[in-house]
Amino acid sequence: MKKIISAKEAINMIKDGSSVMVGGFISCGAPDVLVDELVEQNVKELTLICNDTSVPGKDKGRLIENKQVKKLFAAHIGLNPETGRQMQAGELDVELIPMGSLIERIRAKGAGLGGILTPTGVGTIVEDNNETMVINGKKFIFEEPIDADFALIYGTKVDKFGNVAFEGTTRNLNTIMATAADTVIIQADEIVDCLDPNEVIIPGLFIDYIVEGNK
């Protein structure tokens, strides 16, 4: 049985210098209650792995504004001018990763793979810091898996065993992040006794802690 805890108890586990994956596409499917508590506790020097840094004043954007992030892995930062400002000023170390490559590198960790081969970035400066290989006459870049100490993710409906159901596109990166972190904390709009197996998208074995969010 999974442990249902408060947001404060959940974030208390995250210490300065931790690596944290945060789900959501902009604010769709973002675990805003957990991120707000991370801001409240002012955990610093974080390595943040996410699709984007949202917008100013919202979920992941608040972490950037509060300067709690030292290293960022993301696919898109264009909607948050503060992220770009900190990057240009040398205040934030940013690694921009094409969205497909970001997802596949996280998925590779969850699947226990040693990495991925992708043609994305071939012929660019991306090649300079990565191993390449030619397969059947086509050049690929080797990219290492991405993991994290913690994953903060969202679920529309979660049962007491940790099984997760989603509504619409809220699943986005939440599903793969659940497989690639040492400790997975999910924010649930609704906690129920038991989900219908046909609803389950993330099996409960991936979820360590459940936090009730805002419906």
Side-chain angles (χ1 to χ4, degrees):
M1 184 178 294
K2 302 301 176 182
K3 187 175 182 182
I4 300 173
I5 61 176
S6 69
K8 183 175 182 178
E9 289 173 315
I11 300 306
N12 273 340
M13 292 185 279
I14 304 177
K15 307 303 180 185
D16 290 355
S18 296
S19 55
V20 183
M21 291 180 178
V22 178
F25 192 104
I26 310 176
S27 289
C28 177
D32 56 338
V33 171
L34 292 173
V35 175
D36 285 349
E37 184 62 33
L38 196 57
V39 172
E40 180 68 23
Q41 295 193 26
N42 200 30
V43 186
K44 295 283 192 178
E45 298 291 303
L46 296 172
T47 295
L48 178 62
I49 301 138
C50 53
N51 177 71
D52 54 79
T53 53
S54 193
V55 296
K58 296 285 287 185
D59 50 85
K60 294 160 285 183
R62 296 190 65 203
L63 293 173
I64 299 297
E65 290 174 353
N66 205 35
K67 296 190 175 181
Q68 293 174 250
V69 181
K70 69 170 183 179
K71 172 73 176 180
L72 172 67
F73 294 87
H76 176 55
I77 62 172
L79 294 178
N80 192 331
E82 178 62 13
T83 308
R85 189 202 68 76
Q86 289 184 24
M87 179 178 69
Q88 294 295 331
E91 299 169 7
L92 177 63
D93 183 7
V94 178
E95 182 172 335
L96 291 172
I97 306 171
M99 193 179 301
S101 298
L102 175 66
I103 291 169
E104 284 299 291
R105 290 175 68 181
I106 296 170
R107 184 192 63 80
K109 176 60 182 180
L113 303 179
I116 65 165
L117 292 172
T118 175
T120 304
V122 169
T124 74
I125 60 172
V126 176
E127 281 191 39
D128 296 344
N129 298 314
N130 289 284
E131 182 181 354
T132 62
M133 60 185 70
V134 176
I135 301 174
N136 294 328
K138 187 172 182 178
K139 195 174 192 180
F140 293 87
I141 295 173
F142 173 76
E143 298 274 15
E144 294 183 350
I146 296 176
D147 61 358
D149 300 319
F150 295 90
L152 305 182
I153 63 172
Y154 161 91
T156 305
K157 189 161 56 174
V158 181
D159 69 21
K160 63 184 180 181
F161 305 104
N163 298 303
V164 184
F166 292 94
E167 181 176 344
T169 58
T170 57
R171 69 176 68 184
N172 48 66
L173 272 70
N174 290 298
T175 53
I176 57 162
M177 287 182 173
T179 70
D182 295 337
T183 301
V184 180
I185 304 165
I186 190 162
Q187 172 187 317
D189 277 353
E190 182 181 4
I191 300 174
V192 299
D193 284 338
C194 189
L195 283 177
D196 181 329
N198 293 308
E199 294 182 273
V200 175
I201 302 299
I202 301 176
L205 64 90
F206 289 110
I207 307 300
D208 296 298
Y209 298 99
I210 305 166
V211 171
E212 189 166 11
N214 299 318
K215 286 191 177 181

